Each structure stands twice: as structure tokens, then as C-alpha cells.
Amino acid sequence: MLKTIAVERPKQRQRKGFWSPEEDEKLRSFILSHGHSCWTTVPIKAGLQRNGKSCRLRWINYLRPGLKRDMINAEEEEIILTFHSSLGNKWSRIAKFLPGRTDNEIKNYWHSHLKKKWLKSQKLQHATSISTSSESLVACGRRNPQTLISLPEKTSSSPSQESNDNNNNYSCSSGPEIARLFFSEWFTSSDPYFDHSSNLTDSNHIQTPNIQGPVSDYEESGDVNQFYYNEMVMMSNSNWTLNDVVFGSK
DNA sequence: AACCTGCTCAACCGCACGCTG
DNA sequence: GCAGCGTGCGGTTGAGCAGGT
């Protein structure tokens, strides 16, 4: 019987826990000069007694150039809330919208700052009835994004399940102009995922008012605009009242 | 001062997925 | 189709710290 002979890597006791400045420097200088095509070999080649995963995490979260080290500001907080309301706990995808921030950072920030705030606001929304104009709702969406759009989430840890509501309810503001305003306001010309040259009602997008999956599916297929277009069409076709929008259910 | 409690955040763990042979 | 491997992601842990009693 043939037996596969595993390639024995030199068994060194692998360090765990916090990284020392020396380890950081070794990893940084190695990656800057050699890259990281294979993380499993990085620690060996860099002379680190760590595993590849640990090196990768350290690089992505702390050593990678371009990372912001300051506190998450109000604008970024808003973005997190907005995308969390539609993507759920897809931290890496949310992080894509926040240059210089890592998924780990966002995840931590959510659990330490935003989760309570979010749950509190959800309770508040159910306890209060409000009336507002379309314009103010757009502004509200920008300031309190969870009130604007709520998409069903596939994952078990979705916020909709946390709050036991919003099941299969696509909340929207009161018409296409709101959707248009929201998305055009949200995605500026500098946003990599938004193409201002595309007309939201043109034939470049499939004219079906169905959201077939989270934005991630559209990212994978390379047409994120289709996702937002679908959202807009659903908003346009809906006859939900403002209360439905705000409370996320009929 | 000592203890308790809650919070923050860096890091680890386990799982899923994609690629390759 | 399957196994092995590497990578990425989300959940969880635990050390350190601050504030309260």
C-alpha cells in the first residue's frame, strides 16, 4: 500500500500571542522585499517562529501600508451601519468600502460600539411612530442608515435575526427618486463600485425587480451596479408606506 | 488599597472554499 | 471525484486597562 510521504517542515516551536517590534520588523521587511505569494513559507523565509496564518493576520491588520490608525470617525461609522444593514456580518466586504480599515477593526468596532447602539435604535423604532418627508428620510438614511434600507440576510447571524424582525421585508423609501437620491448621493465619483455614466433606467441592467442575493453576489459577478439597480427598481415598484419603510414590516 | 466589572482590541480558532495534482 | 493544501472569513477568546464600589 502506497503511503504519501508528507514533506516534513522543520518543527520549531511556534510562538503565539502578541507580536514583538522585532517580529514586526522582520515580517515587514521580508514582505516589502519579497512579497507574500505563499503565506505558509513566509514565516520560514522571514525567520519567524510563527505560522503563516498569524503572519498574514499581522500583515493585513497592522503592518500593511495605508492603514489608518486613528479612531473610526462618524462618517465611517455611518458607512459601517449602512452596509451592515444590508450585508450583515460580512466584515471583509464592509471593509472594502472603508479604505485603510480592516475587517477585524470593523468587527471589533461593531461589537464594542455599534451593536448596542443599533439594537437600541431598533427598539426605539418599534416603539415610536414617526412621520417625515421623503427628503428628510434620505437625510435620515444618511445619518441613521438602518432606517432606510433593510435587506434580508442569508447568514444566521444577521441583524434582522438579532432583532427578530424585518424578515423578508425590503424596506424602502417612498419612490424611485428617493432611491436615486440615496444611491447617487452615497456613491460619489470616487467610489470604485459606482458608475455614474450608467443610467439607472437603461437597458444595461436586467429589468427584474428581484433581489436575488446580497451585494456580495453581484460583486462576484462584477456587476454591483446591478444590485443597486435592483434595489432601486424594487423601491420604485413598491407601494409601501413610510411606516413600512421605517419599521421594516407591514 | 483591593476587588469587581465592563470594555477594548489583538490574536487565535475552526470552518468553508478554491485550486491543484 | 477525491485528497491535500493554502487562503480568507467570521466567531470567539483573553490580556490589559479603566472606572466604579
Side-chain angles (χ1 to χ4, degrees), chain A residues 196-208:
Chain A
H196 276 281
S197 64
S198 69
N199 185 336
L200 285 171
T201 56
D202 69 10
S203 56
N204 294 328
H205 297 87
I206 303 162
Q207 306 281 320
T208 50

Side-chain angles (χ1 to χ4, degrees), chain A residues 25-43:
Chain A
E25 193 44 47
K26 275 186 181 178
L27 183 61
R28 184 188 288 108
S29 59
F30 177 82
I31 291 177
L32 288 177
S33 53
H34 299 90
H36 53 76
S37 55
C38 178
W39 281 111
T40 49
T41 61
V42 164

Side-chain angles (χ1 to χ4, degrees), chain A residues 38-162:
Chain A
C38 178
W39 281 111
T40 49
T41 61
V42 164
I44 300 162
K45 291 176 181 171
L48 290 161
Q49 293 176 350
R50 298 269 181 175
N51 63 29
K53 271 185 141 180
S54 183
C55 292
R56 178 184 158 271
L57 205 68
R58 186 66 184 172
W59 172 256
I60 288 172
N61 288 338
Y62 299 97
L63 302 176
R64 180 164 55 104
L67 287 176
K68 290 182 186 171
R69 304 307 305 164
D70 52 335
M71 288 284 288
I72 288 177
N73 60 38
E75 190 74 16
E76 289 172 314
E77 185 175 308
E78 204 174 283
I79 293 170
I80 295 169
L81 282 165
T82 301
F83 285 100
H84 187 270
S85 70
S86 58
L87 296 173
N89 297 356
K90 301 290 180 189
W91 309 117
S92 61
R93 298 201 183 278
I94 295 171
K96 288 192 175 94
F97 296 96
L98 293 164
R101 302 295 185 187
T102 67
D103 53 354
N104 207 34
E105 196 177 2
I106 293 166
K107 180 171 58 182
N108 282 334
Y109 191 76
W110 172 265
H111 283 122
S112 59
H113 293 92
L114 300 180
K115 194 174 180 179
K116 284 180 198 161
K117 201 185 277 188
W118 187 85
L119 290 172
K120 209 173 178 179
S121 74
Q122 289 298 103
K123 283 179 186 169
L124 205 68
Q125 281 175 24
H126 283 77
T128 320
S129 76
I130 61 167
S131 72
T132 178
S133 69
S134 312
E135 288 74 17
S136 65
L137 189 64
V138 172
C140 177
R142 287 281 286 169
R143 297 286 158 249
N144 301 290
Q146 67 274 23
T147 65
L148 189 66
I149 296 169
S150 168
L151 297 175
E153 179 55 38
K154 283 177 179 174
T155 60
S156 60
S157 54
S158 70
S160 60
Q161 288 184 350
E162 283 172 6

Side-chain angles (χ1 to χ4, degrees), chain A residues 121-247:
Chain A
S121 74
Q122 289 298 103
K123 283 179 186 169
L124 205 68
Q125 281 175 24
H126 283 77
T128 320
S129 76
I130 61 167
S131 72
T132 178
S133 69
S134 312
E135 288 74 17
S136 65
L137 189 64
V138 172
C140 177
R142 287 281 286 169
R143 297 286 158 249
N144 301 290
Q146 67 274 23
T147 65
L148 189 66
I149 296 169
S150 168
L151 297 175
E153 179 55 38
K154 283 177 179 174
T155 60
S156 60
S157 54
S158 70
S160 60
Q161 288 184 350
E162 283 172 6
S163 61
N164 295 320
D165 62 18
N166 291 342
N167 292 333
N168 296 319
N169 284 305
Y170 294 93
S171 313
C172 68
S173 41
S174 59
E177 77 282 6
I178 302 304
R180 188 186 295 276
L181 272 171
F182 175 78
F183 290 116
S184 62
E185 181 191 10
W186 186 262
F187 292 93
T188 67
S189 56
S190 61
D191 288 311
Y193 296 107
F194 190 74
D195 176 14
H196 276 281
S197 64
S198 69
N199 185 336
L200 285 171
T201 56
D202 69 10
S203 56
N204 294 328
H205 297 87
I206 303 162
Q207 306 281 320
T208 50
N210 296 318
I211 293 182
Q212 293 148 349
V215 68
S216 54
D217 293 349
Y218 294 83
E219 281 179 355
E220 279 150 20
S221 68
D223 192 3
V224 178
N225 280 349
Q226 181 68 58
F227 173 84
Y228 295 113
Y229 175 77
N230 285 356
E231 286 198 13
M232 195 207 73
V233 173
M234 287 196 67
M235 293 178 181
S236 309
N237 293 346
S238 75
N239 58 356
W240 292 322
T241 67
L242 210 51
N243 274 358
D244 298 330
V245 172
V246 173
F247 297 122

